[in-house]
Amino acid sequence: LALRKAKVNAVGVVGLVENMPGGNAQRPGDIVKSYSGKTVEILNTDAEGRVILCDALTYGDKKYSPKAMVDLATLTGAIVIALGHDYTGVFSNNDTLANKLLECGVKSQDLAWHMPLHPDYKRSLKSNFADMTNCGDHVAGSMTAAQYLASFVGKCKNWAHLDIAGTAMGKGGGSGRAVRLLLQYLFDQQKR
């Protein structure tokens, strides 16, 4: 964006985590407090990325009050089962934003597919000990993961999550997928 001198206000928030073994590592049954103040019961230690991504979403919303917030993550293997390696999964609390992202995917030849983000998927995130769990019950894994993230976007009514687990890697390594889609979206915003 900077090299192309894009006339957009864009902020990047990067939440990074590494799943490491050790005595201080998270264990199933641990309860952590998120940046938002919500508590999360850890049921799956391999779902560590969403535990930090929820903090990045909350931080971005609180610090910047964005007009739109889009996150990218290799969040679930379940999206690979649903869409394979050709389409990025788009989950959004705003159909207008989701449709714009899908259009930008077609324009940039970086294809995406609109996936459901329905409140019913929250049921499998219910915890008896915390506000929620960090993963569902192994059914509709992409949808429950996106619903988990949606719980942390705060006041932002224009949010989308792009699950790039199926498209992020190519035969030679990282594919760069969803970057062209996002650039197209941002450049389209300049025209307004």
Side-chain angles (χ1 to χ4, degrees):
L1 289 173
L3 291 173
R4 294 180 122 196
K5 297 181 178 22
K7 292 177 174 63
V8 294
N9 247 349
V11 174
V13 175
V14 181
L16 301 173
V17 67
E18 190 172 19
N19 193 351
M20 295 291 289
N24 292 326
Q26 290 179 349
R27 295 174 296 276
D30 284 354
I31 295 176
V32 298
K33 187 175 181 180
S34 69
Y35 181 67
S36 72
K38 294 177 183 173
T39 55
V40 178
E41 180 184 2
I42 304 300
L43 294 185
N44 183 336
T45 58
D46 196 36
E48 77 288 351
R50 67 189 70 173
V51 176
I52 193 71
L53 181 52
C54 73
D55 286 348
L57 290 169
T58 301
Y59 175 83
D61 180 60
K62 285 183 177 183
K63 174 93 174 160
Y64 299 104
S65 300
K67 287 182 184 176
M69 188 162 49
V70 180
D71 76 76
L72 291 88
T74 54
L75 201 66
T76 66
I79 200 70
V80 181
I81 303 303
L83 298 177
H85 299 286
D86 299 313
Y87 286 83
T88 291
V90 175
F91 301 85
S92 183
N93 64 359
N94 184 304
D95 286 342
T96 302
L97 174 61
N99 290 331
K100 284 179 187 173
L101 290 169
L102 295 178
E103 289 170 18
C104 290
V106 171
K107 283 183 190 176
S108 64
Q109 298 179 357
D110 196 351
L111 299 174
W113 195 263
H114 194 177
M115 301 293 287
L117 183 71
H118 193 276
D120 285 352
Y121 292 114
K122 272 188 175 179
R123 285 193 301 248
S124 68
L125 297 172
K126 189 174 181 339
S127 170
N128 292 326
F129 309 104
D131 293 317
M132 68 185 64
T133 63
N134 73 325
C135 64
D137 55 8
H138 307 293
V139 176
S142 298
M143 280 65 91
T144 56
Q147 193 63 52
Y148 171 84
L149 294 179
S151 301
F152 296 94
V153 298
K155 297 175 188 167
C156 186
K157 302 294 183 217
N158 205 19
W159 162 77
H161 161 64
L162 305 182
D163 192 334
I164 59 171
T167 56
M169 298 301 286
K171 290 180 182 173
S175 68
R177 287 289 301 275
V179 172
R180 289 190 323 257
L181 185 158
L182 281 180
L183 284 174
Q184 184 69 54
Y185 171 74
L186 290 168
F187 286 118
D188 283 2
Q189 299 309 299
Q190 293 181 125
K191 297 173 188 174
R192 297 174 172 260

